[in-house]
């Protein structure tokens, strides 16, 4: 039953409502959603945001699911083998429909699921304050079947905490965190180059080899059984680790030969070239093509980085040369161009002009320089920085190492920057369990020094991106490794690379 209010009283209520907190809520509710969910479930706010950024770049995609059935900025999953969406509903009491489409509800659901994993891992109130202690919970949140993919997922989240990021009004500053990998410390590191045999991929040496489930592709003997005359470009509609995990899921009934990461162009091979991946939705095109998946979502251009384009183009060029595929748009096509296709990838944000220029050989950066610790005039450090050639993951003949101390004592890399502008900065270091879990790299930008933290226990033997920074022109110290680091592990200074695309 309802009662009509007198007009004057009703008017007062309306006027008061205009000044209530709800009416004057934040113009950008996404940051508030993370702060409130983190407080409600006692999850570190920055960690919660990093999980979301790794999954979706904080884009809920209008409540539409990812390729593996994940919803919202927190990628709450509902598929035959993973049910974090339903679990979030149980934990929060939120309707599933709200968890799919409402950002605040979705973030609360993700926080609740993450907290439940922390509880199962035995984190008490004190331990929950340390983001580094959440590693096992984060690894579980990725729903990976294989331990190495779970580690890949968690490492991605912790790398984001070390570099910092900003999206959708949410800013996470670069921070010093020592990740406690627990049972994942001895699991294969898919970010690192194996000292003995590269990344252990049979067909494309720069790629890591992580096999798809045998029920998600057809074993064959191409090119004896079928000619290979196509490369098909896809977008994962999900994260890099998520796509790898999905292709390993026996219920997926889908796969691709290769998956490429957005941030740095890392490549994972999941189906041998000779075998037929199920990626095109058209059997004839499956039998005659190589499928390449690219991390991201078709409606979000932020995923399509220059590093991804260059890495993918190098792979496509390799495949074209190996199998005699013409380097033309008639033979290098999007999933949307496959006859009968119901998919739209790679979508309107994919830059075919840039990509094909890279494929046909125009992939040389506008400018690039590499500075090794042995480069004459390019490296300066105190006598406390010793020299070693111990690791097979080193760049060049050797590298430098020093104990951490409560003082900077930086080892500087000097470079000649041709003109003021924005440059990508990458670092190379050998990895070892005895090295530092949060080594501070300092970049001298035009707006002051910026610090990024890198876990030198993992991801060694390859170029690791620190980010894109504004640099001044001229010859000067550009990147340093500081000894002022937490933990007891040695701090390593090996090589840097600076690129203007």
């Amino acid at each position: 039953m309802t009662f009509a209010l007198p007009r004057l009283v009703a008017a007062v209520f309306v006027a008061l409502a205009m000044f209530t907190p709800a009416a004057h809520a934040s113009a950008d509710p996404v940051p508030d959603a993370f702060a409130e969910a983190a407080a409600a479930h006692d999850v570190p706010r920055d960690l919660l945001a990093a999980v979301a950024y790794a999954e979706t770049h904080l884009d809920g995609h209008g409540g539409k699911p990812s390729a593996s059935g994940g919803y919202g900025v927190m990628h709450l999953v509902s598929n035959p083998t993973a049910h974090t969406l339903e679990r979030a509903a149980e934990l929060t009491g939120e309707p599933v429909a709200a968890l799919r489409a409402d950002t605040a509800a979705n973030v609360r659901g993700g926080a609740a699921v993450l907290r439940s994993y922390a509880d199962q891992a035995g984190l008490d109130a004190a331990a929950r304050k340390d983001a580094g202690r959440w590693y096992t919970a984060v690894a579980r949140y990725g729903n990976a079947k294989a331990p190495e993919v779970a580690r890949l997922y968690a490492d991605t989240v912790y790398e984001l905490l070390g570099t910092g990021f900003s999206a959708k009004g949410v800013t996470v500053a670069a921070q010093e965190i020592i990740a406690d990998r627990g049972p994942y410390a001895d699991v294969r590191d898919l970010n690192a180059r194996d000292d003995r045999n590269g990344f252990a991929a049979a067909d494309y040496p720069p790629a890591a080899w992580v096999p798809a489930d045998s029920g998600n592709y057809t074993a064959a003997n191409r090119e004896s059984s079928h000619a290979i005359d196509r490369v098909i470009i896809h977008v994962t509609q999900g994260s890099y680790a998520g796509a790898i995990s999905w292709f390993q899921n026996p219920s997926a009934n889908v796969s691709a030969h290769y998956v490429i990461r957005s941030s740095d162009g890392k490549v994972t091979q999941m189906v041998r070239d000779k075998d037929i991946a199920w990626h095109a939705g058209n059997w004839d095109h499956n039998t005659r093509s190589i499928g390449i998946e690219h991390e991201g979502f078709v409606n979000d251009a932020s995923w399509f980085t220059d590093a991804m384009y260059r890495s993918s183009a190098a792979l496509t060029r390799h495949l074209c040369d190996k199998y005699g595929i013409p380097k033309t748009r008639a033979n290098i096509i999007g999933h949307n161009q496959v006859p009968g296709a119901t998919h739209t990838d790679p979508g309107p944000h994919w830059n075919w002009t840039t990509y094909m220029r890279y494929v046909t050989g125009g992939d040389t950066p506008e400018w690039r320089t590499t500075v090794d610790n042995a480069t004459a005039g390019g490296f300066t450090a105190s006598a406390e920085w010793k020299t070693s050639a111990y690791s097979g993951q080193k760049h060049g003949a050797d590298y430098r190492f020093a104990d951490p101390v409560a003082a900077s004592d930086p080892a500087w890399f000097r470079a000649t920057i041709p003109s003021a502008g924005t440059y990508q900065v990458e670092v190379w270091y050998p990895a070892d369990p005895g090295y530092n879990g949060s080594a501070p790299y300092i970049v001298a930008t035009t707006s002051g020094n910026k610090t990024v933290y890198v876990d030198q226990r993992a991801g060694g033997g390859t170029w690791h991106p620190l980010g894109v920074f504004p640099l001044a022109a001229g010859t000067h110290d550009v990147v340093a490794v500081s000894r002022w680091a937490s933990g007891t592990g040695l701090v390593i200074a090996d090589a840097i690379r600076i690129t203007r695309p």
Side-chain angles (χ1 to χ4, degrees):
M1 182 178 295
T2 61
F3 296 90
L5 291 171
R7 288 185 180 181
L8 180 59
V9 175
V12 171
F13 268 81
V14 170
L16 289 172
M18 293 175 63
F19 294 95
T20 61
H24 287 269
S26 169
D28 189 352
V30 178
D32 291 344
F34 282 97
E36 292 166 5
H41 295 283
D42 199 19
V43 179
R45 177 264 189 189
D46 288 356
L47 180 73
L48 185 65
V51 169
Y53 190 85
E55 290 279 16
T56 65
H57 283 194
L58 277 60
D59 188 335
H61 304 104
K64 295 179 180 178
S66 71
S68 59
Y71 292 87
V73 298
M74 294 302 302
H75 199 250
L76 295 172
V77 176
S78 179
N79 66 43
T81 59
H83 303 282
T84 54
L85 177 66
E86 292 81 3
R87 179 61 175 153
E90 293 174 5
L91 291 168
T92 64
E94 299 273 5
V96 166
L99 290 165
R100 286 175 177 157
D102 181 79
T103 295
N106 186 267
V107 174
R108 287 193 295 271
V113 171
L114 195 60
R115 168 62 189 275
S116 72
Y117 294 158
D119 289 345
Q120 291 170 28
L123 297 190
D124 60 18
R128 291 196 298 270
K129 302 302 180 188
D130 180 358
R133 299 285 299 277
W134 286 73
Y135 189 97
T136 299
V138 171
R140 185 173 176 185
Y141 191 93
N143 298 306
K145 174 184 176 182
E148 63 266 30
V149 181
R151 173 175 175 164
L152 175 70
Y153 178 87
D155 281 351
T156 299
V157 172
Y158 280 86
E159 286 171 10
L160 286 168
L161 291 172
T163 60
F165 61 91
S166 182
K168 310 294 183 182
V170 176
T171 297
V172 172
Q175 51 203 271
E176 191 174 17
I177 292 176
I178 306 295
D180 179 2
R181 290 191 174 85
Y184 293 96
D186 296 325
V187 170
R188 179 186 172 203
D189 179 5
L190 295 177
N191 284 321
R193 181 173 294 277
D194 188 284
D195 286 348
R196 296 166 296 173
N197 54 4
F199 286 102
D203 301 316
Y204 186 58
W209 168 244
V210 179
D213 185 86
S214 61
N216 290 336
Y217 65 93
T218 299
N221 190 28
R222 301 189 303 175
E223 286 188 288
S224 297
S225 59
H226 303 84
I228 299 173
D229 63 4
R230 296 283 190 280
V231 174
I232 300 180
I233 302 301
H234 302 264
V235 174
T236 59
Q237 292 299 96
S239 70
Y240 178 68
I244 294 169
S245 179
W246 185 234
F247 294 159
Q248 289 191 310
N249 190 319
S251 67
N253 294 315
V254 68
S255 62
H257 292 90
Y258 297 92
V259 186
I260 299 183
R261 187 159 64 183
S262 167
S263 62
D264 56 5
K266 287 279 176 61
V267 183
T268 291
Q269 182 178 5
M270 302 199 68
V271 177
R272 301 296 190 197
D273 291 358
K274 72 178 185 64
D275 294 327
I276 301 169
W278 301 348
H279 61 100
N282 176 303
W283 180 248
D284 174 68
H285 273 59
N286 278 342
T287 63
R288 66 196 302 178
S289 65
I290 300 287
I292 305 176
E293 288 278 4
H294 299 79
E295 180 184 31
F297 291 82
V298 295
N299 62 348
D300 187 348
S302 69
W303 294 91
F304 301 140
T305 64
D306 190 67
M308 173 185 278
Y309 281 131
R310 290 183 189 278
S311 174
S312 176
L315 169 58
T316 294
R317 187 167 60 248
H318 162 85
L319 294 169
C320 289
D321 291 341
K322 183 175 182 179
Y323 298 110
I325 303 170
K327 297 170 186 165
T328 68
R329 283 285 284 112
N331 297 84
I332 303 168
I333 65 174
H335 191 180
N336 61 319
Q337 295 174 266
V338 174
T342 59
H343 290 240
T344 62
D345 53 321
H349 298 296
W350 182 264
N351 191 326
W352 279 109
T353 300
T354 295
Y355 187 70
M356 292 306 297
R357 185 174 76 249
Y358 290 169
V359 168
T360 55
D363 64 340
T364 302
E366 181 179 336
W367 178 86
R368 170 176 284 172
T369 187
T370 300
V371 184
D372 185 82
N373 75 95
T375 300
F379 182 82
T380 56
S382 74
E384 297 301 318
W385 287 87
K386 310 300 182 183
T387 302
S388 175
Y390 165 75
S391 176
Q393 294 180 337
K394 61 184 178 294
H395 185 280
D398 54 36
Y399 55 95
R400 303 297 185 94
F401 68 93
D403 289 314
V405 292
S408 185
D409 188 23
W412 278 100
F413 294 88
R414 174 174 288 250
T416 300
I417 308 301
S419 60
T422 301
Y423 295 80
Q424 181 183 40
V425 177
E426 301 165 281
V427 298
W428 184 294
Y429 57 89
D432 187 88
Y435 294 163
N436 203 274
S438 194
Y441 281 86
I442 302 168
V443 182
T445 78
T446 54
S447 57
N449 288 349
K450 306 295 183 184
T451 302
V452 172
Y453 298 92
V454 174
D455 186 347
Q456 294 184 329
R457 301 171 302 175
T462 187
W463 289 109
H464 182 97
L466 296 187
V468 176
F469 304 90
L471 302 181
T475 301
H476 55 92
D477 291 337
V478 182
V479 180
V481 188
S482 171
R483 296 175 62 198
W484 203 327
S486 295
T488 58
L490 295 172
V491 181
I492 306 300
D494 194 349
I496 67 162
R497 185 167 73 178
I498 303 172
T499 302
R500 182 167 62 191

